Amino acid sequence: MQARVQIPTPLRSFTAGASSVTVEDCATVHEALGQLTTRFPDVRRHLFSDGGELRHFVNVYVNEDNIRDLDGPSTSMTAGDTLTIVPSIAGGAR
């Protein structure tokens, strides 16, 4: 089974500029993100806390669904799914 992980622009410097990465044989979001961070270790600190939890300011979608509304990192994935990482952006005008 193949799935695709969409890499947001702020993290592409940690994935050698790749805008998407193909992952194989991932039954869950956790496994897919594990493959991503194994292949690109510098991405890990941007996605996960020191305790290994997905950071609160990072949203992850399987296709159109936020995993926080599903089973979190245990959310199942099937062939052809697209995993989209959306980090929150803070700051701006006062």
Side-chain angles (χ1 to χ4, degrees):
M1 178 214 71
Q2 281 190 342
R4 185 173 52 148
V5 180
Q6 295 280 71
I7 309 299
T9 302
L11 296 182
R12 291 180 189 167
S13 61
F14 305 107
T15 59
S19 61
S20 68
V21 174
T22 300
V23 292
E24 307 268 347
D25 300 322
C26 297
T28 67
V29 169
H30 178 76
E31 291 176 9
L33 292 177
Q35 279 192 27
L36 173 68
T37 58
T38 296
R39 194 178 313 167
F40 301 102
D42 291 338
V43 172
R44 182 168 181 75
R45 65 186 166 99
H46 297 281
L47 300 181
F48 297 102
S49 68
D50 291 341
E53 300 295 322
L54 189 65
R55 294 187 181 276
H56 294 290
F57 57 83
V58 175
N59 291 304
V60 178
Y61 293 83
V62 173
N63 302 317
E64 304 293 325
D65 300 313
N66 189 331
I67 65 167
R68 294 184 199 282
D69 298 329
L70 302 172
D71 293 327
S74 298
T75 299
S76 298
M77 294 187 65
T78 59
D81 279 348
T82 298
L83 194 67
T84 303
I85 300 168
V86 181
S88 296
I89 304 295
R94 293 181 176 189

mmCIF file of all heavy atoms in Angstrom, residues 60-94:
data_model
loop_
_atom_site.group_PDB
_atom_site.id
_atom_site.type_symbol
_atom_site.label_atom_id
_atom_site.label_comp_id
_atom_site.label_asym_id
_atom_site.label_seq_id
_atom_site.Cartn_x
_atom_site.Cartn_y
_atom_site.Cartn_z
ATOM 1 N N VAL A 60 -3.000 17.332 11.305
ATOM 2 C CA VAL A 60 -2.742 16.314 10.297
ATOM 3 C C VAL A 60 -4.077 15.817 9.764
ATOM 4 O O VAL A 60 -4.982 15.502 10.546
ATOM 5 C CB VAL A 60 -1.921 15.138 10.882
ATOM 6 C CG1 VAL A 60 -1.698 14.066 9.835
ATOM 7 C CG2 VAL A 60 -0.585 15.634 11.436
ATOM 8 N N TYR A 61 -4.178 15.779 8.464
ATOM 9 C CA TYR A 61 -5.409 15.342 7.806
ATOM 10 C C TYR A 61 -5.145 14.082 6.996
ATOM 11 O O TYR A 61 -4.115 13.976 6.329
ATOM 12 C CB TYR A 61 -5.916 16.428 6.848
ATOM 13 C CG TYR A 61 -6.375 17.675 7.563
ATOM 14 C CD1 TYR A 61 -5.454 18.643 7.961
ATOM 15 C CD2 TYR A 61 -7.707 17.876 7.848
ATOM 16 C CE1 TYR A 61 -5.867 19.783 8.634
ATOM 17 C CE2 TYR A 61 -8.135 19.012 8.514
ATOM 18 C CZ TYR A 61 -7.207 19.956 8.901
ATOM 19 O OH TYR A 61 -7.621 21.080 9.570
ATOM 20 N N VAL A 62 -6.085 13.143 7.066
ATOM 21 C CA VAL A 62 -6.102 12.018 6.130
ATOM 22 C C VAL A 62 -7.176 12.368 5.119
ATOM 23 O O VAL A 62 -8.351 12.495 5.479
ATOM 24 C CB VAL A 62 -6.425 10.684 6.829
ATOM 25 C CG1 VAL A 62 -6.590 9.570 5.798
ATOM 26 C CG2 VAL A 62 -5.327 10.329 7.813
ATOM 27 N N ASN A 63 -6.730 12.610 3.928
ATOM 28 C CA ASN A 63 -7.607 13.143 2.878
ATOM 29 C C ASN A 63 -8.225 14.449 3.386
ATOM 30 O O ASN A 63 -7.490 15.397 3.608
ATOM 31 C CB ASN A 63 -8.615 12.094 2.429
ATOM 32 C CG ASN A 63 -7.905 10.843 1.926
ATOM 33 O OD1 ASN A 63 -6.914 10.931 1.205
ATOM 34 N ND2 ASN A 63 -8.378 9.692 2.324
ATOM 35 N N GLU A 64 -9.500 14.500 3.651
ATOM 36 C CA GLU A 64 -10.141 15.751 4.093
ATOM 37 C C GLU A 64 -10.418 15.785 5.598
ATOM 38 O O GLU A 64 -10.960 16.759 6.108
ATOM 39 C CB GLU A 64 -11.474 15.942 3.354
ATOM 40 C CG GLU A 64 -11.365 15.931 1.846
ATOM 41 C CD GLU A 64 -10.606 17.127 1.303
ATOM 42 O OE1 GLU A 64 -10.731 18.222 1.883
ATOM 43 O OE2 GLU A 64 -9.871 16.958 0.321
ATOM 44 N N ASP A 65 -10.057 14.737 6.320
ATOM 45 C CA ASP A 65 -10.449 14.606 7.719
ATOM 46 C C ASP A 65 -9.283 14.842 8.679
ATOM 47 O O ASP A 65 -8.232 14.205 8.559
ATOM 48 C CB ASP A 65 -11.029 13.206 7.970
ATOM 49 C CG ASP A 65 -12.251 12.935 7.112
ATOM 50 O OD1 ASP A 65 -13.128 13.822 7.055
ATOM 51 O OD2 ASP A 65 -12.310 11.851 6.496
ATOM 52 N N ASN A 66 -9.515 15.739 9.643
ATOM 53 C CA ASN A 66 -8.527 15.996 10.678
ATOM 54 C C ASN A 66 -8.448 14.773 11.583
ATOM 55 O O ASN A 66 -9.474 14.305 12.085
ATOM 56 C CB ASN A 66 -8.945 17.234 11.486
ATOM 57 C CG ASN A 66 -7.872 17.700 12.450
ATOM 58 O OD1 ASN A 66 -7.070 16.923 12.951
ATOM 59 N ND2 ASN A 66 -7.869 18.997 12.711
ATOM 60 N N ILE A 67 -7.232 14.283 11.813
ATOM 61 C CA ILE A 67 -7.105 13.060 12.624
ATOM 62 C C ILE A 67 -7.556 13.289 14.061
ATOM 63 O O ILE A 67 -7.892 12.355 14.756
ATOM 64 C CB ILE A 67 -5.688 12.471 12.601
ATOM 65 C CG1 ILE A 67 -4.677 13.408 13.263
ATOM 66 C CG2 ILE A 67 -5.297 12.090 11.182
ATOM 67 C CD1 ILE A 67 -3.334 12.746 13.553
ATOM 68 N N ARG A 68 -7.604 14.546 14.533
ATOM 69 C CA ARG A 68 -8.089 14.834 15.893
ATOM 70 C C ARG A 68 -9.587 14.508 16.004
ATOM 71 O O ARG A 68 -10.089 14.265 17.091
ATOM 72 C CB ARG A 68 -7.826 16.283 16.263
ATOM 73 C CG ARG A 68 -6.350 16.611 16.364
ATOM 74 C CD ARG A 68 -6.105 18.030 16.833
ATOM 75 N NE ARG A 68 -4.776 18.504 16.532
ATOM 76 C CZ ARG A 68 -3.679 18.193 17.214
ATOM 77 N NH1 ARG A 68 -3.761 17.408 18.242
ATOM 78 N NH2 ARG A 68 -2.511 18.671 16.849
ATOM 79 N N ASP A 69 -10.293 14.524 14.877
ATOM 80 C CA ASP A 69 -11.711 14.173 14.862
ATOM 81 C C ASP A 69 -11.916 12.681 14.625
ATOM 82 O O ASP A 69 -13.058 12.208 14.637
ATOM 83 C CB ASP A 69 -12.448 14.956 13.774
ATOM 84 C CG ASP A 69 -12.385 16.451 14.005
ATOM 85 O OD1 ASP A 69 -12.334 16.871 15.184
ATOM 86 O OD2 ASP A 69 -12.377 17.199 13.008
ATOM 87 N N LEU A 70 -10.850 11.973 14.374
ATOM 88 C CA LEU A 70 -10.922 10.530 14.123
ATOM 89 C C LEU A 70 -10.264 9.806 15.308
ATOM 90 O O LEU A 70 -10.648 10.033 16.433
ATOM 91 C CB LEU A 70 -10.250 10.206 12.785
ATOM 92 C CG LEU A 70 -10.853 10.939 11.566
ATOM 93 C CD1 LEU A 70 -9.999 10.715 10.330
ATOM 94 C CD2 LEU A 70 -12.276 10.487 11.321
ATOM 95 N N ASP A 71 -9.264 9.011 15.040
ATOM 96 C CA ASP A 71 -8.596 8.254 16.098
ATOM 97 C C ASP A 71 -7.189 8.773 16.389
ATOM 98 O O ASP A 71 -6.331 8.015 16.866
ATOM 99 C CB ASP A 71 -8.528 6.776 15.714
ATOM 100 C CG ASP A 71 -9.899 6.134 15.678
ATOM 101 O OD1 ASP A 71 -10.760 6.534 16.488
ATOM 102 O OD2 ASP A 71 -10.114 5.242 14.836
ATOM 103 N N GLY A 72 -6.948 10.057 16.089
ATOM 104 C CA GLY A 72 -5.619 10.615 16.336
ATOM 105 C C GLY A 72 -4.578 9.882 15.510
ATOM 106 O O GLY A 72 -4.864 9.417 14.392
ATOM 107 N N PRO A 73 -3.368 9.739 16.044
ATOM 108 C CA PRO A 73 -2.311 9.045 15.297
ATOM 109 C C PRO A 73 -2.643 7.584 14.978
ATOM 110 O O PRO A 73 -2.039 6.996 14.088
ATOM 111 C CB PRO A 73 -1.102 9.128 16.233
ATOM 112 C CG PRO A 73 -1.377 10.324 17.084
ATOM 113 C CD PRO A 73 -2.863 10.349 17.264
ATOM 114 N N SER A 74 -3.619 7.024 15.670
ATOM 115 C CA SER A 74 -4.021 5.639 15.388
ATOM 116 C C SER A 74 -4.996 5.545 14.222
ATOM 117 O O SER A 74 -5.441 4.444 13.872
ATOM 118 C CB SER A 74 -4.668 5.021 16.630
ATOM 119 O OG SER A 74 -3.751 4.972 17.697
ATOM 120 N N THR A 75 -5.328 6.663 13.612
ATOM 121 C CA THR A 75 -6.249 6.665 12.478
ATOM 122 C C THR A 75 -5.728 5.762 11.367
ATOM 123 O O THR A 75 -4.557 5.827 10.992
ATOM 124 C CB THR A 75 -6.430 8.109 11.940
ATOM 125 O OG1 THR A 75 -6.989 8.903 12.991
ATOM 126 C CG2 THR A 75 -7.325 8.143 10.724
ATOM 127 N N SER A 76 -6.594 4.923 10.855
ATOM 128 C CA SER A 76 -6.222 3.986 9.796
ATOM 129 C C SER A 76 -5.985 4.702 8.475
ATOM 130 O O SER A 76 -6.610 5.723 8.186
ATOM 131 C CB SER A 76 -7.334 2.960 9.591
ATOM 132 O OG SER A 76 -7.519 2.204 10.754
ATOM 133 N N MET A 77 -5.098 4.131 7.699
ATOM 134 C CA MET A 77 -4.832 4.627 6.350
ATOM 135 C C MET A 77 -5.025 3.478 5.374
ATOM 136 O O MET A 77 -4.796 2.321 5.705
ATOM 137 C CB MET A 77 -3.405 5.178 6.250
ATOM 138 C CG MET A 77 -3.201 6.417 7.114
ATOM 139 S SD MET A 77 -1.601 7.187 6.835
ATOM 140 C CE MET A 77 -1.761 7.705 5.126
ATOM 141 N N THR A 78 -5.445 3.836 4.168
ATOM 142 C CA THR A 78 -5.582 2.843 3.114
ATOM 143 C C THR A 78 -4.819 3.313 1.886
ATOM 144 O O THR A 78 -4.399 4.476 1.802
ATOM 145 C CB THR A 78 -7.066 2.616 2.753
ATOM 146 O OG1 THR A 78 -7.625 3.859 2.337
ATOM 147 C CG2 THR A 78 -7.848 2.087 3.941
ATOM 148 N N ALA A 79 -4.641 2.415 0.954
ATOM 149 C CA ALA A 79 -3.876 2.729 -0.258
ATOM 150 C C ALA A 79 -4.453 3.952 -0.946
ATOM 151 O O ALA A 79 -5.666 4.103 -1.071
ATOM 152 C CB ALA A 79 -3.895 1.543 -1.198
ATOM 153 N N GLY A 80 -3.563 4.835 -1.336
ATOM 154 C CA GLY A 80 -3.959 6.030 -2.071
ATOM 155 C C GLY A 80 -4.344 7.212 -1.208
ATOM 156 O O GLY A 80 -4.618 8.293 -1.731
ATOM 157 N N ASP A 81 -4.370 7.039 0.112
ATOM 158 C CA ASP A 81 -4.675 8.161 0.993
ATOM 159 C C ASP A 81 -3.603 9.233 0.874
ATOM 160 O O ASP A 81 -2.432 8.954 0.580
ATOM 161 C CB ASP A 81 -4.742 7.704 2.453
ATOM 162 C CG ASP A 81 -6.066 7.065 2.825
ATOM 163 O OD1 ASP A 81 -7.023 7.176 2.039
ATOM 164 O OD2 ASP A 81 -6.129 6.458 3.906
ATOM 165 N N THR A 82 -4.023 10.452 1.146
ATOM 166 C CA THR A 82 -3.088 11.572 1.224
ATOM 167 C C THR A 82 -3.099 12.107 2.636
ATOM 168 O O THR A 82 -4.156 12.423 3.180
ATOM 169 C CB THR A 82 -3.481 12.695 0.243
ATOM 170 O OG1 THR A 82 -3.424 12.185 -1.087
ATOM 171 C CG2 THR A 82 -2.544 13.885 0.377
ATOM 172 N N LEU A 83 -1.919 12.182 3.217
ATOM 173 C CA LEU A 83 -1.734 12.725 4.557
ATOM 174 C C LEU A 83 -1.205 14.138 4.391
ATOM 175 O O LEU A 83 -0.185 14.348 3.734
ATOM 176 C CB LEU A 83 -0.732 11.852 5.301
ATOM 177 C CG LEU A 83 -0.595 11.991 6.795
ATOM 178 C CD1 LEU A 83 -1.865 11.530 7.492
ATOM 179 C CD2 LEU A 83 0.570 11.169 7.274
ATOM 180 N N THR A 84 -1.912 15.098 4.952
ATOM 181 C CA THR A 84 -1.500 16.493 4.822
ATOM 182 C C THR A 84 -1.142 17.036 6.196
ATOM 183 O O THR A 84 -1.935 16.937 7.137
ATOM 184 C CB THR A 84 -2.636 17.338 4.214
ATOM 185 O OG1 THR A 84 -3.003 16.769 2.961
ATOM 186 C CG2 THR A 84 -2.195 18.778 4.006
ATOM 187 N N ILE A 85 0.037 17.620 6.300
ATOM 188 C CA ILE A 85 0.508 18.214 7.549
ATOM 189 C C ILE A 85 0.294 19.715 7.438
ATOM 190 O O ILE A 85 0.743 20.345 6.477
ATOM 191 C CB ILE A 85 2.008 17.915 7.761
ATOM 192 C CG1 ILE A 85 2.238 16.411 7.829
ATOM 193 C CG2 ILE A 85 2.525 18.614 9.008
ATOM 194 C CD1 ILE A 85 3.704 16.008 7.752
ATOM 195 N N VAL A 86 -0.391 20.281 8.442
ATOM 196 C CA VAL A 86 -0.670 21.718 8.432
ATOM 197 C C VAL A 86 -0.230 22.307 9.762
ATOM 198 O O VAL A 86 -0.948 22.192 10.762
ATOM 199 C CB VAL A 86 -2.170 22.003 8.199
ATOM 200 C CG1 VAL A 86 -2.427 23.499 8.174
ATOM 201 C CG2 VAL A 86 -2.657 21.344 6.926
ATOM 202 N N PRO A 87 0.942 22.944 9.792
ATOM 203 C CA PRO A 87 1.359 23.591 11.030
ATOM 204 C C PRO A 87 0.633 24.920 11.172
ATOM 205 O O PRO A 87 0.405 25.623 10.194
ATOM 206 C CB PRO A 87 2.857 23.796 10.839
ATOM 207 C CG PRO A 87 3.057 23.850 9.363
ATOM 208 C CD PRO A 87 1.956 23.004 8.765
ATOM 209 N N SER A 88 0.256 25.257 12.402
ATOM 210 C CA SER A 88 -0.375 26.552 12.634
ATOM 211 C C SER A 88 0.676 27.641 12.512
ATOM 212 O O SER A 88 1.824 27.462 12.894
ATOM 213 C CB SER A 88 -0.969 26.603 14.038
ATOM 214 O OG SER A 88 -1.994 25.666 14.150
ATOM 215 N N ILE A 89 0.264 28.753 11.990
ATOM 216 C CA ILE A 89 1.147 29.914 11.859
ATOM 217 C C ILE A 89 0.622 30.982 12.805
ATOM 218 O O ILE A 89 -0.549 31.354 12.746
ATOM 219 C CB ILE A 89 1.155 30.440 10.411
ATOM 220 C CG1 ILE A 89 1.540 29.338 9.426
ATOM 221 C CG2 ILE A 89 2.083 31.646 10.285
ATOM 222 C CD1 ILE A 89 2.943 28.805 9.564
ATOM 223 N N ALA A 90 1.477 31.452 13.683
ATOM 224 C CA ALA A 90 1.066 32.483 14.633
ATOM 225 C C ALA A 90 1.804 33.777 14.339
ATOM 226 O O ALA A 90 2.812 33.803 13.647
ATOM 227 C CB ALA A 90 1.372 32.021 16.049
ATOM 228 N N GLY A 91 1.274 34.835 14.892
ATOM 229 C CA GLY A 91 1.925 36.129 14.731
ATOM 230 C C GLY A 91 1.087 37.046 13.874
ATOM 231 O O GLY A 91 -0.051 36.751 13.548
ATOM 232 N N GLY A 92 1.639 38.187 13.547
ATOM 233 C CA GLY A 92 0.920 39.125 12.696
ATOM 234 C C GLY A 92 0.672 40.437 13.391
ATOM 235 O O GLY A 92 1.376 40.805 14.326
ATOM 236 N N ALA A 93 -0.352 41.124 12.965
ATOM 237 C CA ALA A 93 -0.658 42.461 13.461
ATOM 238 C C ALA A 93 -1.173 42.418 14.896
ATOM 239 O O ALA A 93 -1.741 41.435 15.329
ATOM 240 C CB ALA A 93 -1.703 43.103 12.566
ATOM 241 N N ARG A 94 -0.951 43.501 15.594
ATOM 242 C CA ARG A 94 -1.436 43.624 16.978
ATOM 243 C C ARG A 94 -2.795 44.234 16.991
ATOM 244 O O ARG A 94 -3.231 44.966 16.249
ATOM 245 C CB ARG A 94 -0.491 44.489 17.796
ATOM 246 C CG ARG A 94 0.820 43.827 17.974
ATOM 247 C CD ARG A 94 1.689 44.721 18.802
ATOM 248 N NE ARG A 94 2.945 44.013 19.039
ATOM 249 C CZ ARG A 94 3.861 44.419 19.856
ATOM 250 N NH1 ARG A 94 3.685 45.513 20.548
ATOM 251 N NH2 ARG A 94 4.960 43.752 20.025
#
